[in-house]
Amino acid sequence: VAFPFGHGAGYTSFEYTWAQPPARAAPLPGGPLAAAGGGADNALVANMSVVVRNGRGANGSEVAQLYVSFPQAAGEPPLVLRAFRKTTLLPPGGEEELRFELRARDVSVWRGGWRPWAGHFGVVVGSSSRDARLQQTLTLA
């Protein structure tokens, strides 16, 4: 792949800061998740928010992306896109807070059914899969 998801040229640059980082530890719902969604699938595992600030001289909007890195034993790819949010058109120096949530299904793997995976996860927010701006470790049990 020549360019990561979200790659593009713009006339401004954006700065990211945590408004609310994810908690470092969180509980998981027990057992397999329902195939049709809802219930335990929808159980909130972590929430967080970031402030995206337009740092230069042109109006622009940014797409902030939330990636999860599963524990190695899960056998998942190194970074898995779980959410993205687009800012409004921000003037130079303008900023916007974007909220993200991780639900049980977001931290699940298929093992004859969707099962939440316990362990140490990486939470990464950035402008693309190759441009991590913020990182945090999240332990799920």
Side-chain angles (χ1 to χ4, degrees):
V1 175
F3 300 102
F5 172 74
H7 176 81
Y11 297 101
T12 189
S13 63
F14 294 91
E15 302 161 3
Y16 288 56
T17 56
W18 286 117
Q20 176 193 343
R24 295 198 179 268
L28 284 173
L33 302 178
D41 284 32
N42 213 23
L44 182 64
V45 174
N47 61 40
M48 65 214 77
S49 59
V50 299
V51 174
V52 177
R53 182 178 181 274
N54 183 346
R56 283 226 207 133
N59 293 339
S61 57
E62 174 76 329
V63 177
Q65 301 166 33
L66 171 68
Y67 292 88
V68 172
S69 64
F70 281 75
Q72 188 173 4
E76 294 295 304
L79 288 176
V80 181
L81 178 66
R82 287 299 183 227
F84 56 92
R85 303 281 181 269
K86 184 176 181 179
T87 67
T88 58
L89 187 64
L90 298 174
E95 59 185 40
E96 185 173 337
E97 185 173 334
L98 303 174
R99 295 196 57 74
F100 293 97
E101 295 179 338
L102 284 175
R103 304 231 170 239
R105 184 66 174 263
D106 296 325
V107 294
S108 297
V109 295
W110 183 262
R111 299 290 189 267
W114 288 108
R115 298 182 184 279
W117 198 269
H120 301 292
F121 286 74
V123 175
V124 176
V125 180
S127 63
S128 77
S129 61
R130 296 183 190 163
D131 187 13
R133 307 285 180 96
L134 303 172
Q135 298 182 37
Q136 179 84 335
T137 299
L138 174 63
T139 302
L140 301 176

